[in-house]
């Protein structure tokens, strides 16, 4: 007669199955954080809830959890590294803390980043404390990792920020400057100025973004100057001046539409301008195959339309499958995010606009078909699609001098708590 497995000794294959599922669901959850159509609650119900269940299934291993996960921390598959870290990170035991600190102390480059990503969202306080102690005793990438970990928890940076910036590695300097938005007021402008002196474009862009989140005059002036003279940094800056500027600044976006290499970024910025004129530019963009999808997304962000729901999407033929002998087996088959957005039917969208245009007042800015306000921004963040949430969060942060603080890549429970706190701080109902 076969014995019945003890609840304390689950079948190893079921635990491994849970681990495989967690690995898959983690990658899916990450991709959905930039979803064109799903909001936070939908991602929770479709994917994140299942991800937590899978991780719980791994943790059923109990005393065998560390032995199960430790080999995966050394895997060449970074998805498995992240899943293993997340499965361990919720624990509090000395054994778990030691396993994670040993692994993270030796991790480098992409493996280190994969572990930090899991710790950002899943780590218990004992694990965070243990890991921070190890990262703080090292230098270079590990110092930057500590800075990143603290920023994800909205913690005030300390000497690790200076150490990360002084590596003169652009990737580390970006991480340091993201932490700047949590600095005391008296130190903020010096750090923004230091970031703006950097040669690397991504470092300067991060300095501007962090400064704008705290109403830094230095950051705003730099953004306006760069938008006036679009170059390698001018395109990404357009969304900032579109969100936070006046009609005068909107004209910079309109001008950028005439520059081929800036058109996609200018269309994104039009969505933040949100006026009737911006809609007209979107309709013009739909006439051009390379710009049509971006123009459709911006149109929907302004008006509240849904290309699929409202039958405004063009019918697209399925892609042709090449003959086997002509197929490039080395080509990257993963499509870009924008390439799978719905293609608008320009005639149908124009008819939709003609039907709805009367309720859009000239010079009023709109989001989701409603006049732009603190309340409509809050609603868009809390209930709207994920795609533009980081920009909308920055918008409210800039208008509240950093008081509104939501981490858009955290698990839903933490995001909901941060959104509730932000709503209360802004005095919204």
């Amino acid at each position: 007669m076969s014995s019945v497995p003890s609840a304390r000794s689950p079948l190893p294959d079921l635990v491994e199955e849970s681990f495989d599922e967690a690995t898959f669901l983690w990658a899916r959850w990450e991709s959905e954080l930039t979803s064109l159509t799903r909001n936070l609650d939908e991602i929770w119900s479709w994917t994140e809830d299942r991800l937590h269940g899978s991780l719980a299934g791994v943790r059923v291993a109990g005393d065998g959890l560390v032995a199960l996960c430790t080999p995966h921390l050394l895997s060449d598959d970074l998805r498995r590294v992240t899943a293993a870290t997340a499965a361990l990170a919720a624990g509090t035991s000395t054994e778990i803390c030691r396993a994670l600190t040993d692994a993270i102390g030796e991790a480098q480059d992409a493996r280190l980043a994969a572990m930090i990503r899991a710790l950002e969202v899943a780590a218990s306080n004992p694990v965070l404390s243990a890991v921070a102690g190890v990262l703080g005793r090292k230098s270079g990438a590990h110092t930057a990792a500590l800075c990143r970990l603290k920023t994800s928890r909205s913690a005030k940076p300390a000497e690790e920020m200076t150490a990360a910036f002084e590596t003169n590695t652009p990737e580390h300097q970006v991480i340091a400057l993201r932490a700047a938005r949590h600095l005391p007021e008296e130190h903020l402008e010096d750090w923004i100025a230091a970031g703006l002196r950097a040669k690397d474009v991504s470092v300067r862009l991060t300095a501007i973004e962090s400064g704008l989140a705290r109403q830094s005059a230095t950051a705003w002036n730099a953004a306006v100057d760069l938008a006036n003279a679009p170059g390698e940094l001018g395109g990404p800056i357009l969304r900032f001046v579109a969100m936070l500027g006046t009609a005068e600044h909107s004209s910079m976006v309109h001008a950028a539409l005439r520059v081929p290499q800036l058109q996609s970024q200018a269309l994104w910025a039009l969505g933040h301008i949100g006026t009737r004129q911006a809609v007209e530019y979107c309709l013009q963009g739909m006439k051009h195959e390379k710009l049509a999808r971006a123009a459709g997304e911006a149109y929907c962000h302004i008006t509240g339309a849904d290309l699929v729901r409202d039958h405004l999407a063009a019918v697209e033929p399925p892609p042709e499958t090449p003959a086997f002998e002509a197929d490039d087996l080395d080509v990257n088959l993963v499509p870009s995010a924008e390439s799978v957005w719905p293609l608008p039917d320009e005639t149908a969208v124009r008819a939709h606009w003609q039907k709805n245009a009367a309720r859009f007042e000239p010079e009023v800015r709109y989001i989701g078909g409603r006049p732009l306000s603190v309340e409509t921004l809050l609603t868009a963040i809390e209930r709207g699609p994920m795609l533009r949430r980081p920009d909308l969060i920055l918008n409210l942060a800039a208008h509240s001098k950093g008081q509104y603080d939501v981490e858009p890549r955290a698990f839903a429970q933490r995001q909901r708590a941060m959104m509730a706190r932000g709503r209360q701080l802004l005095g919204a109902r």
Side-chain angles (χ1 to χ4, degrees):
M1 183 175 179
S2 61
S3 61
V4 177
S6 165
R8 295 186 180 182
S9 303
L11 293 173
D13 55 341
L14 293 180
V15 176
E16 284 288 355
E17 184 177 323
S18 292
F19 186 87
D20 290 341
E21 185 178 49
T23 300
F24 167 76
L25 289 171
W26 189 287
R28 189 165 111 175
W29 171 70
E30 289 277 17
S31 69
E32 289 183 347
L33 293 178
T34 55
S35 172
L36 175 69
T37 55
R38 288 183 180 171
N39 62 28
L40 186 65
D41 289 340
E42 290 166 338
I43 289 172
W44 162 262
S45 61
W46 278 94
T47 303
E48 188 185 327
D49 188 29
R50 291 173 58 197
L51 170 59
H52 289 300
S54 298
L55 289 170
V58 177
R59 296 180 187 121
V60 169
D63 293 341
L65 181 62
V66 171
L68 169 72
C69 291
T70 298
H72 294 301
L73 295 178
L74 303 176
S75 172
D76 291 332
D77 185 342
L78 297 179
R79 298 171 302 171
R80 300 183 81 80
V81 174
T82 301
T85 304
L88 290 169
T92 60
S93 71
T94 301
E95 184 185 15
I96 284 176
C97 290
R98 185 182 302 113
L100 285 171
T101 54
D102 288 348
I104 209 163
E106 298 298 323
Q108 296 289 339
D109 304 324
R111 181 175 286 109
L112 176 60
M115 293 188 70
I116 291 296
R117 176 62 185 137
L119 294 169
E120 284 177 336
V121 298
S124 66
N125 286 336
V127 165
L128 282 175
S129 178
V131 168
V134 170
L135 294 174
R137 291 194 296 270
K138 291 183 170 284
S139 59
H142 289 83
T143 303
L146 175 58
C147 196
R148 173 179 164 180
L149 199 55
K150 292 178 71 171
T151 300
S152 73
R153 298 305 178 100
S154 301
K156 184 174 70 173
E159 62 273 5
E160 72 279 346
M161 180 181 175
T162 301
F165 192 83
E166 289 180 349
T167 63
N168 290 320
T169 302
E171 180 184 357
H172 300 162
Q173 291 183 319
V174 164
I175 292 171
L177 287 167
R178 284 178 183 152
R181 64 177 63 190
H182 302 296
L183 282 169
E185 190 76 29
E186 60 269 22
H187 301 305
L188 177 66
E189 292 292 341
D190 288 343
W191 273 99
I192 302 308
L196 290 173
R197 289 193 295 269
K199 294 180 179 179
D200 186 83
V201 170
S202 62
V203 176
R204 284 183 282 153
L205 182 62
T206 305
I208 290 173
E209 184 169 352
S210 290
L212 292 177
R214 293 282 299 277
Q215 288 188 2
S216 162
T218 301
W220 175 248
N221 291 335
V224 172
D225 289 345
L226 288 165
N228 262 322
E232 59 180 345
L233 196 53
I237 290 293
L238 293 174
R239 63 190 174 100
F240 299 146
V241 297
M243 281 193 301
L244 305 175
T246 63
E248 175 188 354
H249 300 107
S250 297
S251 65
M252 302 176 189
V253 176
H254 302 157
L257 288 166
R258 296 190 289 270
V259 183
Q261 63 267 32
L262 300 178
Q263 286 172 335
S264 293
Q265 293 161 316
L267 282 167
W268 178 272
L270 285 177
H272 289 312
I273 292 174
T275 59
R276 288 177 61 110
Q277 185 180 20
V279 169
E280 294 294 341
Y281 279 122
C282 290
L283 293 172
Q284 294 178 34
M286 292 178 203
K287 298 177 181 179
H288 304 277
E289 182 180 355
K290 292 183 178 180
L291 303 176
R293 297 180 198 275
E297 185 279 329
Y299 177 85
C300 291
H301 183 70
I302 297 170
T303 64
D306 183 305
L307 295 183
V308 176
R309 179 196 66 202
D310 299 331
H311 307 290
L312 304 176
V315 178
E316 298 185 76
E320 293 184 5
T321 302
F324 179 79
E325 59 273 12
D327 198 3
D328 182 355
L329 300 181
D330 295 322
V331 72
N332 181 8
L333 298 178
V334 180
S336 66
E338 186 177 316
S339 70
V340 297
W341 293 353
L343 180 68
D345 181 328
E346 191 259 334
T347 302
V349 176
R350 190 171 290 277
H352 178 272
W353 175 241
Q354 290 174 349
K355 181 180 178 181
N356 290 276
R359 64 186 180 87
F360 288 79
E361 297 290 334
E363 309 308 322
V364 175
R365 303 174 73 164
Y366 290 84
I367 179 173
R370 300 170 61 196
L372 184 67
S373 66
V374 169
E375 178 60 33
T376 52
L377 280 170
L378 286 168
T379 300
I381 293 168
E382 293 164 0
R383 304 177 194 169
M386 303 297 286
L387 185 64
R388 288 182 181 251
R389 287 179 80 242
D391 282 3
L392 303 181
I393 290 166
L394 176 64
N395 193 332
L396 283 181
H399 284 99
S400 63
K401 214 167 186 179
Q403 288 190 80
Y404 190 83
D405 180 23
V406 174
E407 174 45 64
R409 297 177 71 234
F411 281 147
Q413 181 179 13
R414 180 160 180 256
Q415 288 203 51
R416 289 175 186 138
M418 296 180 83
M419 290 187 296
R421 178 178 178 274
R423 179 176 275 275
Q424 183 178 29
L425 285 170
L426 295 176
R429 61 180 185 277

